[in-house]
Amino acid sequence: MVAGHSVYTSSNCGKVDKEDSWFLESYQKHPGQASSFVTHIQEGVEIVAKDNEALLLFSGGETRKDAGPRSEAQSYWTVAESEGWFGKEESVRRRAMTEEHARDSFENLLFSVCRFRELTGSYPRNITVVSYDFKEERFKQLHRSAIGFPESRFFYSGTPGSSTSKEAALRGEAMVRSQFQEDPFGCLGSLRRKKLGRDPFHRTIPYPNGCPEIKGLFQYCDPAPYPGALPWG
């Protein structure tokens, strides 16, 4: 799963590594930011190309009002397409799909698991997440633990962010991580408000349709671990 971070807005796919080709929030407007998105996309393609049984999911909803009703997931798929799947089109393109509703990192993971079940009829045996290196603890410890996925089958591929924004990114990550520590399912307070703000087009989330076995996980909202049975437990 490649977690989306922005929406591609350029009509010219020859500019995928240029900041003005993406809709960037103020904290993202740094040299090298666009290239970091492309690196994530390529990393996802490279990982899936090595495993003929793997599925590549680009995850991220229509999160930016001023970018229009374009999803982060479709943006990443479009960039991969424009780049010829980085030389791996024959082996990867047919196995590259989108999850177009996630509004934060926890939903990137949970919704992608459901989308995988919807597409294949089963749940993933292994999960590999591609995102920034400084988000590894958030995904591997907090989000993975919240959905009860076995640590031995969960992998993370982190890439560096823009060097000019590293200190600010680390400060922001520390704050978000502490919020998820208190609210693992992102369903209360500031995390809930953030998600609502990232749904400017008021999309109806289809899940848990497609993954009925984990309906309880979608409905759960408590600081304590989810007490129900899970398909991968």
Side-chain angles (χ1 to χ4, degrees), residues 45-83:
V45 170
E46 296 284 352
I47 290 171
V48 169
K50 297 174 183 176
D51 183 350
N52 291 331
E53 296 184 353
L55 186 72
L56 173 59
L57 281 176
F58 296 117
S59 173
E62 298 171 1
T63 56
R64 308 292 195 265
K65 182 177 181 180
D66 291 341
R70 310 181 188 191
S71 73
E72 296 171 356
Q74 276 290 341
S75 296
Y76 281 35
W77 195 99
T78 298
V79 169
E81 178 85 345
S82 73
E83 295 296 293

Side-chain angles (χ1 to χ4, degrees), residues 15 25 29 33 36 69 73 109-110 128 150-151 158 160 166 176 208 221:
K15 297 170 56 181
E25 300 289 0
K29 294 180 179 179
Q33 189 73 62
S36 73
L109 179 58
L110 177 62
T128 299
E151 188 173 6
K166 186 174 182 179
V176 174
C221 181

Side-chain angles (χ1 to χ4, degrees), residues 78-222:
T78 298
V79 169
E81 178 85 345
S82 73
E83 295 296 293
W85 298 90
F86 306 95
K88 304 291 193 299
E89 179 175 359
E90 185 175 344
S91 63
V92 174
R93 187 179 187 273
R94 62 184 175 81
R95 294 184 286 134
M97 307 294 175
T98 60
E99 183 295 300
E100 301 189 49
H101 297 279
R103 299 164 295 178
D104 65 14
S105 56
F106 176 68
E107 289 187 347
N108 284 139
L109 179 58
L110 177 62
F111 288 7
S112 291
V113 168
C114 187
R115 182 73 171 128
F116 187 98
R117 166 69 171 82
E118 187 175 49
L119 287 164
T120 68
S122 61
Y123 289 96
R125 171 69 183 171
N126 301 301
I127 295 175
T128 299
V129 173
V130 177
S131 187
Y132 291 112
D133 52 8
F134 58 82
K135 293 189 177 186
E136 182 170 0
E137 183 179 345
R138 190 202 306 189
F139 274 101
K140 286 187 73 173
Q141 302 304 323
L142 301 180
H143 298 339
R144 179 202 58 77
S145 179
I147 70 168
F149 201 84
E151 188 173 6
S152 62
R153 295 194 273 123
F154 191 93
F155 307 94
Y156 192 88
S157 180
T159 68
S162 168
S163 59
T164 56
S165 62
K166 186 174 182 179
E167 288 187 12
L170 291 175
R171 287 195 301 270
E173 175 60 20
M175 181 182 69
V176 174
R177 202 163 54 238
S178 68
Q179 291 171 335
F180 273 111
Q181 286 171 340
E182 296 178 2
D183 179 17
F185 298 90
C187 53
L188 302 169
S190 59
L191 291 176
R192 181 177 182 275
R193 290 192 295 272
K194 185 185 294 185
K195 281 197 288 194
L196 294 176
R198 289 178 176 171
D199 184 25
F201 301 101
H202 304 285
R203 293 298 189 190
T204 299
I205 295 174
Y207 317 118
N209 292 338
C211 56
E213 298 87 355
I214 58 172
K215 180 179 180 180
L217 194 57
F218 278 82
Q219 297 174 335
Y220 190 68
C221 181
D222 195 280

